[in-house]
Amino acid sequence: MPDTPARSAATSRRRERSTGRQSAARDIDRAAARQERLAQASWVEGASPALPMRTVRPAEVVFHLGPTNSGKTYESLQALAATGSGVYAAPLRQLAHEAYAKLSAQLPPGTVGLSTGEEEIDPFAPIVCCTVEKAPLRGELLVLDESHWIADPDRGHHWARLLLTGEYREMHLISAAEAYLLLKPLVSDAEHVTVVNHKRLSRLDVLRAPVRPADVRPQTLVVAFSRKTVYAAAAELDQHRPGKVGVLYGALPPATRREVIERFTSGEVEVLVTTDVIGHGINVPATTVLFAETTKFDGTKVRPLRSWETAQIAGRAGRYGLTGHGQVGVLTGVTGLRADQGVLTAGAAVARGDAMSDLPKRAPRLRPELADLGAFEAVDLPEALTRWMAWARAATRDHAMTPDDVTSLIVRVHALLPLLRGPLDAAGDLDTVWRLVNLAIDYNPPRRTRWLVLAQAALRHAAGLPVQPETVLPDVPRGAGVEEFEQAAAAARDAQTLLRQFPGVAGLTSDDAAWVEEECAEMISELLPDAIALGRSGKCAECGSAIAPWFTTCRPCSAPAGRGGGERDRRPSTGGRRTAGRAAGRALGGRQGGPRGRSRRG
C-alpha cells in the first residue's frame, strides 16, 4: 500500500514516542545506577572500613636477607633468646617445632611455649614459637621467618596483617633478598631500620654427571613432585638400600613427617625421597640433593620449576653445622622421570647467592575482617564482600598492597545460605557464618563436600539438633593401606579445625580428633617401609616391564585382545600404589576404633 502523508505522519509519531520511551528508560537506568553508586558509597562509609595500621610503631626493624643456609634464622633466634620475651612465627608447624626445640634446649624450663593450632604447650610462656596465623599482635620482639611468604596468594594476607598491625618493640624479618621491596613499605613507620645481608656459610657444588639409583649415597635427598613419583623413586632406590629409604610429602600427617625427619637425622633412614615440602626452611643433615624431575603441577598446569623454588630445595644440601659442603645434581634411571640440568644449575646459583631469583613480585594481600563489612545478617555477606573489594581497590591504590580476592568467601557463603532455612535458620547468625566460611579447610574439589558437611554439622549443633559423630570424625580404618590412613588423618585434621572453633559438635572435642590423627599417623609410620618395598609404581602390573609411574600396565598388556596397544589404551594409575598399600596393611594388621572407645597400645 503506497504511503500517504497521513500514514507517514503517524509512523513518524510512533518513532518519536518509541525514541522518547527508550530515552526515558535510559534516564531511569542512569538515575538508578547513580543511586546505587551513592548507596554503595554510603554503605561503605557506614561500614567504616579502614586500612589496617598499628597505634604503636616499632622502635627497631632488622631485615635478615640472604640465600638458604646463611645463618639468618640462627641470628634472629639468638636475639630472641637474649631478649627473653617475644614470638617466633613461621609458615609451617615443623619450623615452629624446630625453633621450640632449639630455644627450649638453650633456656630455662617454662621459658618457651609452642602454639600451632594443633598443639599447645605453655602458650603463655614468655617466648612462644607458632605458625603465623597464631601469632599474637603485640609483644616485645617478633621473629618472622620465611617472610617472603607474604607473596603467597593463599596465605600471604596473614603476613601482611601481622606486619601492618603487629605492635612489637622490635621485629626481625627473615627473607630472601628479593622480597625486601615488598616488605619494606609495611614497616615504613619504624623508628630505625637495619638491613643485614647474609652470605651462604657452606659451598654448594653442581654435579656434572647424573647419578643412578645404585650410586646414591647416604645423607641424600631425592626430590620429586607428586605422591606417585615419590613412591616410584623410593621403590627404585629401595632395591639398592633395602629398608633405608624414606618418603616425605604433604599428605603425610605432621607427626609422621616429624618422625621421618628424625629417622633421617639419626641416620636410620639413609635416603629420603621428598616433595618440595623439604624446601620450606626444614633443616636436615643432607650432603646431597638429587632432582628426579624439575617440573611440577602448580594447581593449574605442569610447568618447570622457577629458580627460587629450585634454590629453596637445593639449599638443603650442606647445612652449616650439620654436614660439610653440599652438592646438587640429577637422579636418572627412574622410568618416566627426567630432570633438566639447566633448571638445576640456575637454582643452585640462586641458592649460593650468586644470582637473583625469579620470586614473584606479588603485592601483599589485604583481607577484610567482619567489622570492615558493615553486614547485619548472613544474607548480606556476598554483597558486603563485593562492595568491600570495590572500596579496597580504591583505598590501596597508593599503598604497597592490593585487595585479596574474596571470591572464594562469597562462594562459600552462597553454599551455606540454602542451609539456613527451617530449623537451621536461627543458628545461622552473622558471626557463625563468618567463622564457618573462614575455616582453614580446603574448599577445592573433592574436599569441598567435606567442608560443607562439617559446616552443616556445626549449624545443626548450634540449633540443638543431633549430629552423628561419624559425620564429623571418621573412625580409624581397619586393614587399610597408607593412602586410606592418610585420608582418615586429613579428615581428622579438618575435624580438629572445626572443633577448635565449634567445640562440642556431635559431643566431640579437638582432642578426640587429635587422637584419631595420631593413631593414623602411627599406622602410616609402620606401613611406610613395606609400602615402599612392595611398591609397583614404575613397573607393569601384568608383565613387570618398566613404565612411567602414573600408569599401571604397559601398552601391550593394556591393549584389548586381538588389537595392538596404543598410548591411549593405558589408563592412569588409580590402584597400583593403593594395592601395595593395602597388601602392606593386611600383612601388618590394621586397627580400627573411634575416639569414644579409643584405646592406646602400650
Side-chain angles (χ1 to χ4, degrees):
M1 182 181 294
D3 282 345
T4 63
R7 183 179 296 278
S8 297
T11 300
S12 178
R13 285 194 296 273
R14 283 197 298 271
R15 288 174 178 169
E16 289 176 359
R17 286 195 297 270
S18 177
T19 301
R21 284 194 296 269
Q22 292 174 0
S23 178
R26 284 194 296 269
D27 290 341
I28 292 172
D29 289 341
R30 282 196 290 267
R34 283 197 298 271
Q35 290 176 355
E36 176 64 17
R37 285 195 296 271
L38 289 173
Q40 288 186 16
S42 174
W43 179 91
V44 170
E45 185 178 353
S48 299
L51 295 177
M53 60 184 299
R54 66 182 122 250
T55 56
V56 179
R57 62 179 185 162
E60 179 77 24
V61 172
V62 181
F63 283 94
H64 294 272
L65 307 177
T68 58
N69 194 21
S70 56
K72 304 186 299 293
T73 302
Y74 173 80
E75 288 194 13
S76 299
L77 289 178
Q78 290 300 103
L80 182 57
T83 301
S85 175
V87 173
Y88 168 87
L92 301 178
R93 286 168 287 189
Q94 181 67 34
L95 294 182
H97 268 276
E98 285 186 9
Y100 170 74
K102 290 175 182 176
L103 292 171
S104 295
Q106 183 178 350
L107 299 172
T111 305
V112 187
L114 178 69
S115 177
T116 66
E118 288 72 17
E119 296 171 274
E120 301 285 332
I121 303 174
D122 294 335
F124 302 107
I127 295 176
V128 176
C129 300
C130 61
T131 48
V132 170
E133 288 84 347
K134 294 284 290 181
L137 291 178
R138 55 186 52 83
E140 181 67 16
L141 189 151
L142 170 67
V143 174
L144 186 58
D145 209 347
E146 303 283 323
S147 295
H148 45 265
W149 272 60
I150 199 166
D152 184 77
D154 297 319
R155 296 175 61 198
H157 61 92
H158 293 292
W159 274 256
R161 188 165 289 274
L162 181 58
L163 287 178
L164 286 166
T165 63
E167 296 183 352
Y168 288 86
R169 184 189 63 80
E170 187 173 344
M171 294 182 177
H172 286 240
L173 308 183
I174 304 167
S175 172
E178 293 82 351
Y180 175 66
L181 295 179
L182 297 179
L183 296 164
K184 183 181 177 183
L186 305 184
V187 291
S188 60
D189 60 333
E191 295 180 17
H192 186 259
V193 175
T194 302
V195 177
V196 180
N197 291 301
H198 296 256
K199 295 185 180 297
R200 184 175 171 89
L201 298 174
S202 63
R203 198 174 70 231
L204 182 64
D205 300 322
V206 177
L207 298 174
R208 295 179 178 271
V211 179
R212 298 195 65 82
D215 300 323
V216 173
R217 298 178 178 178
Q219 292 190 309
T220 294
L221 300 175
V222 173
V223 184
F225 293 96
S226 74
R227 189 181 188 279
K228 282 188 174 64
T229 55
V230 163
Y231 273 104
E236 187 67 38
L237 291 161
D238 189 71
Q239 296 180 35
H240 306 282
R241 291 186 177 275
K244 296 294 184 179
V245 178
V247 292
L248 186 71
Y249 49 91
L252 291 175
T256 304
R257 277 184 260 168
R258 286 197 297 272
E259 182 176 338
V260 169
I261 290 171
E262 288 170 3
R263 293 179 66 206
F264 182 77
T265 300
S266 68
E268 183 181 349
V269 165
E270 296 179 348
V271 179
L272 183 59
V273 186
T274 174
T275 62
D276 49 353
V277 68
I278 198 69
H280 300 312
I282 297 174
N283 294 317
V284 290
T287 57
T288 306
V289 172
L290 298 177
F291 284 77
E293 54 182 346
T294 49
T295 59
K296 64 178 288 188
F297 180 69
D298 63 4
T300 304
K301 62 181 184 300
V302 176
R303 59 165 176 80
L305 294 176
R306 298 187 176 97
S307 65
W308 72 272
E309 294 171 318
T310 311
Q312 288 288 309
I313 301 167
R316 301 303 105 195
R319 302 299 295 176
Y320 183 76
L322 295 178
T323 66
H325 296 305
Q327 53 187 7
V328 58
V330 167
L331 178 74
T332 189
V334 181
T335 305
L337 303 188
R338 184 171 57 234
D340 186 316
Q341 182 80 16
V343 171
L344 190 61
T345 301
V350 173
R352 290 192 298 264
D354 297 339
M356 298 291 282
S357 79
D358 52 1
L359 184 74
K361 302 298 190 292
R362 299 189 186 100
R365 304 294 183 96
L366 176 66
R367 177 169 281 205
E369 303 284 348
L370 182 57
D372 297 326
L373 299 178
F376 296 100
E377 297 180 1
V379 72
D380 299 332
L381 284 173
E383 185 178 5
L385 286 163
T386 301
R387 290 177 174 177
W388 176 87
M389 284 181 60
W391 167 83
R393 287 192 195 101
T396 59
R397 191 167 296 146
D398 298 325
H399 293 76
M401 66 184 77
T402 187
D404 198 14
D405 184 358
V406 296
T407 304
S408 63
L409 297 180
I410 296 173
V411 170
R412 290 193 186 204
V413 175
H414 279 303
L416 278 183
L417 289 179
L419 302 179
L420 305 181
R421 296 170 184 163
L424 297 185
D425 179 57
D429 62 276
L430 179 63
D431 179 69
T432 296
V433 171
W434 181 250
R435 285 191 292 148
L436 285 173
V437 299
N438 280 281
L439 282 176
I441 296 175
D442 188 6
Y443 192 68
N444 295 319
R447 301 287 299 283
R448 182 173 301 173
T449 302
R450 175 66 175 159
W451 171 81
L452 196 58
V453 166
L454 292 177
Q456 187 174 26
L459 291 171
R460 288 183 62 85
H461 175 74
L465 298 174
V467 179
Q468 296 299 316
E470 58 269 20
T471 302
V472 176
L473 182 61
D475 286 340
V476 179
R478 168 179 288 178
V482 170
E483 191 169 0
E484 285 82 4
F485 280 114
E486 288 172 0
Q487 292 168 355
R493 282 197 298 279
D494 288 344
Q496 288 181 68
T497 301
L498 176 78
L499 292 166
R500 283 193 297 270
Q501 287 285 326
F502 299 91
V505 175
L508 298 168
T509 68
S510 60
D511 286 342
D512 293 325
W515 179 86
V516 171
E517 183 185 7
E518 182 180 334
E519 292 293 293
C520 291
E522 287 185 15
M523 282 305 301
I524 292 170
S525 296
E526 291 182 8
L527 293 172
L528 277 180
D530 281 346
I532 293 170
L534 292 171
R536 294 192 298 174
S537 293
K539 293 183 180 179
C540 175
E542 300 294 332
C543 69
S545 62
I547 56 173
W550 40 88
F551 296 117
T552 54
T553 56
C554 66
R555 185 179 302 173
C557 292
S558 62
R563 197 181 85 187
E567 186 72 22
R568 63 185 176 185
D569 297 319
R570 296 154 70 195
R571 297 293 183 259
S573 172
T574 58
R577 173 58 53 188
R578 183 173 298 178
T579 301
R582 283 178 177 154
R586 286 193 293 269
L588 290 171
R591 61 179 178 273
Q592 184 178 28
R596 299 287 183 174
R598 64 194 191 189
S599 61
R600 296 185 184 277
R601 295 176 301 168

